[in-house]
Amino acid sequence: MLRIAQTLNGQLLAAMERAFPEAVQRAREAGQPLDPQLAPASKPEFGDFQANGALPLAKPLGQPPRAIATAIVEQLAADPAFGALCEAPQIAGPGFINLTLLPERLAAEVQDRLRDPRLGVPAVEATAAGAPLAPVIVDFSSPNIAKEMHVGHLRSTIIGDALARVLEFRGHQVLRLNHVGDWGTQFGMLITHLKQVAPEALTTADAVDLGDLVSFYRQAKARFDDDEAFQTTSREEVVKLQGGDPVSLKAWGLLCEQSRREFQKIYDRLDIRLSERGESFYNPYLEGVVADLDACGLLVTDDGARCVFLEGVSGKDGKPLPVIVQKSDGGFNYATTDLAAIRYRFAAAPDGDGACRVIYVTDAGQANHFAGVFQVARRAGWIPPHGSVEHVPFGLVQGEDGKKLKTRAGDTVRLRDLLDEAVERAEADLRRRLAEEERSEDEAFIQHAATTVGLAAVKYADLSTNRITNYQFSFDRMLALQGNTAPYLLYAVVRIAGIARKGGDLEAGGPGAAAAAAAPLIFTEPQEWALVRELLRFDAVIAEVEEELLPNRLCTYLFELSQVFNRFYDQVPVLKAEEPARTSRLALCRLTTDTLKQGLGLLGIPTLERM
């Protein structure tokens, strides 16, 4: 109900100005504009909205807040536009103003959403000059070359994708960037090892696959740790690579390309879209980062390294902590690359992306790193006044024992294996239920349904948890048909869509939908009004996720919506109702289906026609 809330906010402000013109003027002169403090009501019995703006006015006006609220309400009563929107306001407690929307206004909102493919969610507006909005960058996933994606990449990939989908739905131009680890000193040992044990890889396509490369990485690391001669050759190889040696570059490219192909299999399976822009992309800009920081007086040489000392951040010795930008040997590190990325991302085209907001989806352990990098970038002036950088941290994926999720052998769980098991378990559960119900389904249906449910269960279990906390990974819990799970919501969509089909064609564009959109909707039962109000919360929830970057808010809403619908359907007849109740209730069924499908789609979860 964002549009209604904005209208009410304007009406409250106008009423406050009419009731207390001198106070309003003084507040404006002091740079303290009035705020009606309008918010959704905390309980249904308080109405739809609650305005608490009378309370902070008590001291400057020298009046009791209840008297102030009374004066505001009197002005509202004199406003015909307010009278067409709300019932008579009620003053509660010390001066809260409770506002209840007129039933016909709520019904009209439902009807509007039945006609609106965006379900009432407004698209962001273009700039005043009509120019396109500046891009929003979401930096997520970020696996390392020559390593397989593991369960640790799951959260960044799924959370980042959901946030990108929500921002795109709102109308933002989103750059989905995959900052892969495709550069650095580790490539010296990898290329050296590759040249020595698989020289054919440099002349023959597909001589090694990712499994080999993972094994190569472990072997190369072991040799690097134990063999001084290998260490020396590896360091020389890094210099060759950075210097553009053709053979070294070819080996590096082979490692990157074969890893990239395996990563893409995971992304395709999860329906994730990403544009790769690895660490290597920013190499040409690293010297510029150092030069810029030096020119603006931030760079300090300390023990041979060039650093920026952070303000307000001290170590155990009480001294400011440094962000090392260039090591004493002249090399660069992750902080330098991340600073170059920020500088490029905010720089205007054609020298950069011209972004207005950059969002980094990484584990919570990198919070201090990003806090330091962001501070340096702000002090250097690379983040414009209108721009924002945000770290979206997330906790660990744990096993059911509360410890970090590992295989029985103690290895990190490969993401590929985890997804395989989710689909296999979903298929076994589906076959068991089909046997119990004595239903016969073809293999294509079983495979499609099992894949959809299995992958949805993994995604939803992650997204429904507050990302800031750790969460325990449990196949049994995430595949359950009861509770706040993907299978429960997918089943709800199938069930509600089936109800709508039995009542006539209520799909968008069908005759039933046209009838529901044309005829006035009539609601009389409390269960109907509860569902109406829940459906109309969708736009506010999307705005909340856009601002706070917490996908679990959307998950909670979808679960609560399905529960409110179930109470409505269990307690109020729909298909057997008389007109006009029947058409009105079927319209609620259709809008519930559309809202659940849209919400799940924004989480990257497709729905099924039947289960």
Side-chain angles (χ1 to χ4, degrees):
M1 289 193 273
L2 287 177
R3 185 174 52 191
I4 289 178
Q6 291 168 354
T7 301
L8 277 175
N9 197 70
Q11 292 172 345
L12 281 161
L13 275 173
M16 294 167 81
E17 291 176 353
R18 292 195 301 272
F20 306 103
E22 294 180 2
V24 171
Q25 185 60 34
R26 288 198 302 270
R28 283 178 175 162
E29 290 171 355
Q32 300 173 338
L34 291 181
D35 182 2
Q37 295 191 9
L38 183 70
S42 55
K43 294 182 180 179
E45 56 265 34
F46 296 155
D48 294 299
F49 293 96
Q50 189 171 347
N52 304 331
L55 278 70
L57 287 175
K59 187 174 180 180
L61 291 176
Q63 297 182 36
R66 194 171 179 92
I68 296 170
T70 300
I72 295 171
V73 165
E74 288 174 354
Q75 293 298 326
L76 285 174
D79 181 354
F82 176 82
L85 186 61
C86 281
E87 296 178 0
Q90 301 296 315
I91 299 173
F96 305 127
I97 302 174
N98 293 336
L99 303 169
T100 301
L101 297 173
L102 290 170
E104 55 267 32
R105 194 68 191 85
L106 288 169
E109 280 292 308
V110 170
Q111 206 153 33
D112 286 345
R113 295 201 182 188
L114 287 166
R115 304 186 190 104
D116 182 7
R118 297 186 57 80
L119 302 176
V121 178
V124 289
E125 297 179 0
T127 62
L133 292 167
V136 176
I137 291 174
V138 184
D139 180 325
F140 65 104
S141 194
S142 306
N144 289 313
I145 294 297
K147 293 183 181 180
E148 283 190 293
M149 290 179 72
H150 55 74
V151 71
H153 296 111
L154 177 69
R155 301 208 76 182
S156 177
T157 303
I158 292 174
I159 294 169
D161 177 62
L163 295 177
R165 287 173 186 266
V166 169
L167 291 164
E168 286 163 347
F169 183 57
R170 284 280 286 123
H172 293 283
Q173 176 191 347
V174 178
L175 295 181
R176 299 157 158 258
L177 295 184
N178 195 6
H179 190 85
V180 296
D182 68 345
W183 201 252
T185 55
Q186 76 273 19
F187 278 95
M189 68 180 190
L190 282 169
I191 293 171
T192 301
H193 190 59
L194 192 63
K195 284 181 175 180
Q196 293 178 4
V197 303
E200 69 277 9
L202 300 177
T203 56
T204 306
D206 299 326
V208 293
D209 61 24
L210 185 62
D212 291 325
L213 292 182
V214 172
S215 175
F216 281 159
Y217 187 94
R218 291 172 180 162
Q219 294 168 15
K221 184 68 169 64
R223 290 182 68 187
F224 187 85
D225 292 340
D226 299 334
D227 186 338
E228 289 188 10
F230 185 81
Q231 286 182 21
T232 300
T233 305
S234 297
R235 292 190 179 103
E236 291 171 352
E237 191 62 59
V238 173
V239 175
K240 288 182 183 178
L241 178 63
Q242 293 175 340
D245 176 75
V247 178
S248 299
L249 282 172
K250 183 171 183 179
W252 170 77
L254 179 142
L255 291 166
C256 292
E257 181 55 34
Q258 300 217 1
S259 293
R260 191 177 292 122
R261 273 188 243 165
E262 293 301 318
F263 296 158
Q264 194 58 46
K265 291 178 184 177
I266 298 289
Y267 295 140
D268 288 344
R269 196 171 183 186
L270 292 171
D271 190 24
I272 306 290
R273 292 183 294 104
L274 275 161
S275 296
E276 183 181 312
R277 191 188 287 174
E279 295 172 9
S280 61
F281 176 88
Y282 301 101
N283 277 339
Y285 304 98
L286 300 183
E287 293 285 358
V289 166
V290 176
D292 269 13
L293 293 174
D294 198 17
C296 61
L298 293 176
L299 214 54
V300 175
T301 301
D302 184 67
D303 199 21
R306 309 192 79 182
C307 321
V308 177
F309 284 93
L310 297 174
E311 295 177 343
V313 184
S314 302
K316 294 179 180 179
D317 57 4
K319 296 180 180 179
L321 284 177
V323 171
I324 298 174
V325 178
Q326 190 169 27
K327 296 180 286 188
S328 56
D329 64 2
F332 303 105
N333 55 23
Y334 291 122
T336 324
T337 301
D338 284 335
L339 285 167
I342 290 177
R343 182 169 170 259
Y344 185 90
R345 290 168 178 182
F346 281 109
D351 300 317
D353 296 315
C356 64
R357 185 182 190 186
V358 181
I359 297 164
Y360 294 81
V361 186
T362 75
D363 65 272
Q366 298 188 49
N368 290 338
H369 164 78
F370 279 110
V373 167
F374 293 168
Q375 185 192 122
V376 172
R378 287 192 182 94
R379 289 165 63 191
W382 296 335
I383 302 174
H386 65 276
S388 70
V389 285
E390 297 158 84
H391 179 219
V392 174
F394 54 81
L396 296 173
V397 181
Q398 299 175 327
E400 293 187 73
D401 58 1
K403 298 179 181 178
K404 191 172 181 179
L405 188 64
K406 298 273 190 179
T407 65
R408 290 183 179 179
D411 298 326
T412 301
V413 178
R414 297 191 308 178
L415 186 50
R416 179 174 61 185
D417 294 341
L418 181 143
L419 298 178
D420 285 345
E421 185 171 354
V423 173
E424 288 166 8
R425 284 177 177 247
E427 181 181 342
D429 182 65
L430 176 58
R431 291 185 185 277
R432 177 184 57 77
R433 286 192 292 106
L434 290 173
E436 289 174 354
E437 298 169 10
E438 298 182 349
R439 283 171 55 194
S440 177
E441 296 286 355
D442 60 41
E443 275 300 309
F445 166 80
I446 292 173
Q447 294 302 320
H448 174 65
T451 300
T452 301
V453 171
L455 298 182
V458 171
K459 286 188 177 186
Y460 192 85
D462 190 308
L463 295 170
S464 61
T465 305
N466 188 322
R467 59 171 169 74
I468 298 171
T469 63
N470 300 335
Y471 88 96
Q472 293 184 359
F473 192 97
S474 166
F475 280 118
D476 290 340
R477 192 161 53 240
M478 68 176 59
L479 287 166
L481 277 171
Q482 298 299 321
N484 189 12
T485 66
Y488 173 83
L489 288 173
L490 290 173
Y491 181 74
V493 171
V494 170
R495 180 189 183 212
I496 301 167
I499 295 165
R501 280 195 298 272
K502 289 177 184 177
D505 184 8
L506 278 179
E507 294 298 319
L521 299 178
I522 306 297
F523 304 120
T524 57
E525 300 299 324
Q527 296 90 340
E528 293 173 310
W529 290 118
L531 181 54
V532 165
R533 287 181 164 90
E534 193 67 25
L535 286 165
L536 296 182
R537 287 183 53 221
F538 184 59
D539 55 357
V541 171
I542 296 301
E544 198 174 292
V545 175
E546 177 189 13
E547 181 180 352
E548 299 183 6
L549 305 177
L550 291 169
N552 64 296
R553 301 284 177 85
L554 177 55
C555 296
T556 299
Y557 167 75
L558 297 175
F559 179 56
E560 290 174 350
L561 173 61
S562 65
Q563 290 183 307
V564 173
F565 177 85
N566 285 339
R567 286 193 291 271
F568 154 79
Y569 188 70
D570 291 342
Q571 297 172 18
V572 176
V574 175
L575 295 174
K576 295 181 179 180
E578 298 294 329
E579 293 295 355
R582 187 176 187 274
T583 295
S584 297
R585 291 170 187 174
L586 283 170
L588 290 181
C589 292
R590 184 198 144 200
L591 187 55
T592 302
T593 305
D594 291 348
T595 304
L596 288 172
K597 283 183 177 179
Q598 181 65 74
L600 288 169
L602 294 177
L603 299 174
I605 296 174
T607 55
L608 294 163
E609 292 300 314
R610 53 197 180 93
M611 285 179 68

